[in-house]
Amino acid sequence: MNQTSSANEPSVSSSLPRRSFMSGAALAGLGLAGLSSQASAAESQAAQELFTVPQDANGEYALPPLPYAYDALEPSIDAETMRLHHDIHFNGYKKGLNAALAKLKEFREAGDYPQISYWENSLAFNGAGYNLHTVFFAGMAPAGTDKPSAAFEKQISTHFGSMDAFKGQFSEAAAKVQGSGWAILGWQPMGNQLVILQAEKHQNWSMWNVIPIMALDVWEHAYYLKYQNRRGDYIKNWWDVVNWDYAAGRLNAAQSIS
Ligand code: MN
């Protein structure tokens, strides 16, 4: 699972890391032009695969399959929690997102917008929930699968001082979410910066223009069966099942398109 191609290693030659092929200032200034001629087809494909999700036959959002068995993350996360979390909760956000989009389309076609605020809120809540669960489930792997690549660790150190400092802030943010929410490592293109967010629910305390790189779900449904009120133990054990290769891939892709 570790990165093997040096072509995929991020550039860390400056205090504002960018991919090596993005070193041209003109391209960097074009925002979304990163996936143009200077990016290889393979890189473009990799970025697209990381940022798109499956659709069903009707063109609606589908549930991304769990990329490992329900019990693959034990003992950090138990199989029953994974089954409920993925099949029921994640699927619920998928349904909610599709329902909100369908309802808003119905309103547009009728030219009449009853309960517009309810459905816009539902779009934000379920859309953010769907997105973050996509990153959460894909962002884990059986313990011992991989460890942070040197290049990824160097980027973390550039932005947070050290891997330990990053983990400290991320864990504390996760532990101190009031009620339900997330700790999120995100790439923020506006300032070419990595940031840690502490989102409440899925969409509050967020920041525009941030691409999630790692996401830790601290809603009670994510841990309560096994850990009850011991959220701190869940967070500590979650670090053992982080898919670092996925995080590094998302960071590379985010930097390549921003
Ligand atoms: Mn969840």
Side-chain angles (χ1 to χ4, degrees):
M1 297 279 291
N2 284 314
Q3 288 181 300
T4 53
S5 167
S6 61
N8 289 329
E9 298 292 326
S11 165
V12 289
S13 58
S14 75
S15 60
L16 297 176
R18 305 191 69 86
R19 290 173 66 101
S20 54
F21 74 82
M22 282 291 291
S23 58
L27 185 62
L30 291 176
L32 292 175
L35 291 179
S36 64
S37 58
Q38 292 195 37
S40 73
E43 286 170 332
S44 300
Q45 171 98 9
Q48 272 196 341
E49 282 173 7
L50 279 166
F51 290 137
T52 54
V53 292
Q55 294 184 343
D56 65 18
N58 299 322
E60 295 190 327
Y61 289 97
L63 184 67
L66 202 60
Y68 38 75
Y70 292 123
D71 64 357
L73 306 184
E74 290 191 348
S76 290
I77 305 178
D78 61 287
E80 182 65 358
T81 295
M82 289 299 291
R83 191 185 65 76
L84 291 167
H85 196 178
H86 179 271
D87 296 4
I88 308 296
H89 291 275
F90 189 7
N91 200 44
Y93 296 112
K94 180 211 75 175
K95 286 186 194 166
L97 172 58
N98 287 328
L101 288 168
K103 187 59 79 173
L104 290 165
K105 180 167 184 273
E106 190 183 307
F107 289 169
R108 279 195 306 279
E109 288 171 354
D112 185 30
Y113 296 88
Q115 298 178 305
I116 182 73
S117 296
Y118 171 85
W119 287 104
E120 291 286 2
N121 181 55
S122 185
L123 176 66
F125 177 83
N126 288 291
Y130 178 88
N131 180 27
L132 290 173
H133 280 93
T134 299
V135 179
F136 173 70
F137 286 110
M140 297 188 289
T145 300
D146 66 357
K147 57 187 170 79
S149 67
F152 185 75
E153 198 154 343
K154 196 161 183 181
Q155 292 225 47
I156 292 289
S157 294
T158 297
H159 290 274
F160 298 106
S162 69
M163 184 59 93
D164 283 347
F166 158 67
K167 284 185 169 182
Q169 182 184 340
F170 190 96
S171 294
E172 189 69 5
K176 297 292 168 59
V177 170
Q178 289 191 318
S180 301
W182 298 78
I184 299 163
L185 170 68
W187 176 250
Q188 187 260 91
M190 176 173 64
N192 293 330
Q193 193 174 32
L194 280 168
V195 292
I196 293 169
L197 301 177
Q198 184 191 47
E200 283 189 3
K201 297 199 283 185
H202 307 298
Q203 74 281 30
N204 299 342
W205 285 40
S206 303
M207 185 177 177
W208 295 112
N209 200 31
V210 167
I211 302 168
I213 304 301
M214 297 170 67
L216 170 56
D217 192 337
V218 292
W219 286 59
E220 287 181 350
H221 66 231
Y223 63 89
Y224 219 80
L225 276 184
K226 178 181 173 75
Y227 292 97
Q228 290 85 49
N229 60 312
R230 301 184 305 281
R231 185 193 285 183
D233 290 346
Y234 160 68
I235 294 167
K236 179 170 169 287
N237 293 339
W238 174 79
W239 287 110
D240 292 338
V241 292
V242 168
N243 184 338
W244 294 103
D245 188 55
Y246 177 76
R250 282 189 70 88
L251 181 55
N252 281 349
Q255 290 173 337
S256 78
I257 62 168
S258 60

